[in-house]
Amino acid sequence: KRVVKKKGFRLIATANDNGSGDQLHIYGGGQLLNKAVVSRFGLFLKIGYLPKDMELEMVAELSGLREQPLLDGMLQVANETRRVASSDPSKAELAISPRNMIDWARAYKINDEAQAGLDHTQLAEIVLINRLPDTLQGTMKTLVENKLRGSKLTGLKKAVS
C-alpha cells in the first residue's frame, strides 16, 4: 500500500543527542545514522540542557535530595562531562544527562537511608562510572573527586539508639 500525504502533512522525528552523529557529522544522534535517513529531514533543531536553576530544581524535586552544595557539585561534574563530550565526540558517552543526575541524586538518598557509608566516588561508580567504557572511567572518577571533594555527603542520618 502507498501512503499519500495530504495538504498540511508534517512528519516529526526525534532522537536523543549523545554526540555520535551520522557519517557526515551533520546529525548528532543516539546512534550512527545512515546518510539516506538523514537526508530525508531538512530541518534539525538542537535543544540544549535546562538552565542551571531549572535543572537543579527538577533534580531536587524528582529525587528528593535537597542539599544545595551537593546538588551544585553534581551539576558541576555533569556540566564538565557535557563540555568534554561536546568538544570530543569520542567521549560522548561521558556526558551526564538530567536523567543520570536524578539517578545519581537518588543514590545519595538510598546511601543515607541504608546507612551504607559510601563516599562520592563509590556512589558515582555504582550509578555513573560503571556504564562507561574503560577508557572513560578514570576521567569520570577524577571529575567526581575534584568537584565533590569539599562537599559533604547528604548527612541524612537515622538516630542510633
Side-chain angles (χ1 to χ4, degrees), residues 56-66 98 102 105-106:
L56 288 176
E57 182 181 330
M58 178 189 68
V59 171
E61 183 67 30
L62 294 174
S63 70
L65 184 68
R66 301 284 179 194
I102 293 164
R106 286 178 178 157

Side-chain angles (χ1 to χ4, degrees), residues 40-53:
R40 286 166 170 77
F41 297 93
L43 176 66
F44 292 91
L45 300 175
K46 182 169 175 93
I47 300 171
Y49 293 98
L50 292 171
K52 174 187 174 185
D53 292 341

Side-chain angles (χ1 to χ4, degrees), residues 12 15-17 24 57 65 84 95 99 104 116 118 125 130 155:
I12 298 172
N16 288 333
D17 177 7
L24 301 175
E57 182 181 330
L65 184 68
V84 169
R99 182 179 298 136
W104 193 14
L118 300 174
E125 282 179 358
N130 291 334

Side-chain angles (χ1 to χ4, degrees), residues 85-122:
S86 69
S87 65
D88 183 352
S90 72
K91 295 185 172 131
E93 292 175 85
L94 186 69
I96 297 175
S97 70
R99 182 179 298 136
N100 298 143
M101 286 278 293
I102 293 164
D103 291 342
W104 193 14
R106 286 178 178 157
Y108 277 105
K109 297 280 291 182
I110 292 167
N111 178 58
D112 283 348
E113 290 165 3
Q115 294 184 314
L118 300 174
D119 65 22
H120 292 299
T121 305
Q122 291 168 318

